[in-house]
Amino acid sequence: MEQLESKIVRNLPDLLVNDWKNIFISELGESYFESIQTKLNEKMLTEVVYPPIDLIFNAFNLCSLADTKVVIIGQDPYHGKGQAHGLCFSVPHGIPLPPSLRNIKKELDLDLDVIFSHEDGDLSSWAKQGVLMLNSVLSVSESQPGSHIDLGWQRLTTLAIEKISQEKEHVVFLLWGNYAQQLAKHVDEKKHLLLRSSHPSPLSANRGGWFGKRPFSKTNDYLVAHHVEPIQWL
């Protein structure tokens, strides 16, 4: 198993399937990216790493640059068993909702004035409509939040944000919490809409600044105003 996983880590670029591969091609040959792969390989020999390696670029593979309308930025993947599948805040079918995702769905209820199903936390349908659900750090060790922050993923994911800002127009950036808002400096606010709020985690949301911000309807209002197909959030 260790030999198989090592082979997969060394070939991470092969896991990209759309226009992002061409955008990242120069980065994937850089020494820092080789370092990421080496460190991942080392961690996988002694630790459980999430998400599964074949899903590590899931956010990019489900939402090409050409299709990107909305960007949601998280920090790093969920670190519990079965939770992470390469999309920030999302969990696979059948996995109980983490607290932040539960608050996201509560805000959907308030924002869109509907009774939303709170049982399914798989947000892949958003990604397939053009929502890039991007964690700034793309991997994590089991039960160790923030454990891969020093691997170097941020250089690659920041490049993605910069490319969207430079090459697209009228993209909505949903910046939830201080960490995401620090990345606003990479976005041209003259071309795009930035919607800032507190993080949906219970600690932040209960202090105010999350509920009632209506990010989903505001996103769609902006997209429609610029002749872009809105997101079906439900």
Side-chain angles (χ1 to χ4, degrees):
M1 176 61 71
E2 291 176 355
Q3 292 179 348
L4 175 61
E5 290 180 338
S6 295
K7 182 178 179 182
I8 292 174
V9 170
R10 285 197 300 269
N11 289 284
L12 275 177
D14 293 339
L15 299 176
L16 284 163
V17 301
N18 55 28
D19 57 7
W20 285 113
K21 187 166 188 173
N22 294 330
I23 292 162
F24 292 151
I25 195 67
S26 61
E27 297 295 304
L28 300 178
E30 293 287 333
S31 59
Y32 87 91
F33 190 80
E34 294 177 1
S35 175
I36 291 174
Q37 295 183 105
T38 298
K39 292 175 183 178
L40 261 182
N41 185 49
E42 293 170 352
K43 287 181 177 294
M44 290 172 63
L45 294 176
T46 59
E47 303 171 357
V48 177
V49 172
Y50 298 131
I53 292 302
D54 62 345
L55 295 177
I56 207 159
F57 292 136
N58 201 25
F60 295 117
N61 287 336
L62 290 183
C63 181
S64 68
L65 173 63
D67 291 338
T68 299
K69 307 174 184 178
V70 181
V71 180
I72 301 177
I73 301 172
Q75 185 164 353
D76 62 346
Y78 293 123
H79 55 86
K81 183 178 180 180
Q83 291 181 312
H85 66 146
L87 304 176
C88 69
F89 295 107
S90 178
V91 294
H93 294 293
I95 299 297
L97 272 61
S100 292
L101 181 52
R102 191 166 294 278
N103 280 340
I104 288 171
K105 292 204 166 190
K106 288 180 180 178
E107 176 59 20
L108 267 172
D109 288 351
L110 295 171
D111 188 353
L112 304 182
D113 194 24
V114 296
I115 302 298
F116 192 75
S117 171
H118 287 243
E119 301 305 316
D120 187 5
D122 188 346
L123 305 180
S124 298
S125 64
W126 294 5
K128 293 174 183 178
Q129 296 178 71
V131 182
L132 182 65
M133 305 185 65
L134 182 64
N135 280 311
S136 183
V137 177
L138 299 184
S139 59
V140 70
S141 293
E142 185 176 39
S143 303
Q144 300 179 52
S147 53
H148 291 198
I149 283 179
D150 294 332
L151 259 64
W153 284 120
Q154 295 93 325
R155 178 168 168 178
L156 191 74
T157 52
T158 298
L159 174 64
I161 294 169
E162 290 174 344
K163 284 293 185 181
I164 293 168
S165 178
Q166 294 164 6
E167 299 189 13
K168 305 277 292 185
E169 292 185 342
H170 311 312
V171 173
V172 182
F173 289 79
L174 298 178
L175 304 177
W176 298 342
N178 292 332
Y179 184 87
Q181 290 168 25
Q182 291 172 10
L183 298 173
K185 62 186 177 183
H186 301 287
V187 181
D188 184 348
E189 295 194 51
K190 296 178 181 177
K191 295 171 58 181
H192 308 285
L193 176 65
L194 280 65
L195 295 177
R196 299 171 173 86
S197 72
S198 66
H199 195 275
S201 68
L203 182 62
S204 297
N206 291 336
R207 290 175 176 172
W210 168 250
F211 293 114
K213 292 294 184 179
R214 303 182 64 239
F216 307 103
S217 60
K218 288 179 180 178
T219 293
N220 279 354
D221 289 346
Y222 179 84
L223 294 177
V224 170
H226 291 89
H227 312 290
V228 178
E229 187 74 20
I231 305 299
Q232 298 298 317
W233 299 109
L234 303 180

